Amino acid sequence: QVQLVESGGGLVQAGGSLRLSCAASGRPFSSYSMGWFRQAPGKEREFVATITRSGGTTYYADSVKGRFTITRDNGKGTVYLQMNTLKPKDTAVYYCAASTAPTVTLDRNNYWGQGTQVTVSS
């Protein structure tokens, strides 16, 4: 089992940037693919980005492609989400997830963090 704790959320103006961090503890971090998801008020949780165990492959939702970057540091046991050119539509609770599968998707049995709020003002 792995425990995940997100941090780095906050309030930012449109066009600004934030970097989210997710610190993992428990089983070796490199055993897990990692991902970021978000859930806006009144909406379903949606996929944002995922990164494979070694960090060699990443996938992004079309809505964030070119603006967000997911990275991981297996030595530190941390995954990051660099969010640039933020838009009000990016406002959501962002969740970190871990999976023993090659990538993290919503239909898999993931481990979840508690979430961190990102609010982007106009």
Side-chain angles (χ1 to χ4, degrees), residues 42-112:
K43 296 186 177 181
E44 299 284 344
R45 190 171 300 185
E46 66 175 350
F47 167 77
V48 175
T50 188
I51 187 167
T52 52
R53 298 180 187 92
S54 66
T57 304
T58 58
Y59 299 94
Y60 298 92
D62 288 342
S63 60
V64 306
K65 198 171 298 181
R67 299 188 298 120
F68 291 10
T69 303
I70 185 171
T71 57
R72 68 189 295 162
D73 186 331
N74 285 349
K76 295 180 178 179
T78 304
V79 64
Y80 305 93
L81 185 68
Q82 178 66 47
M83 305 185 295
N84 298 326
T85 319
L86 282 162
K87 304 174 181 179
K89 67 180 181 180
D90 295 319
T91 295
V93 176
Y94 283 71
Y95 296 91
C96 177
S99 176
T100 56
T103 59
V104 182
T105 60
L106 279 174
D107 62 327
R108 292 172 180 159
N109 294 320
N110 306 317
Y111 298 96
W112 295 95

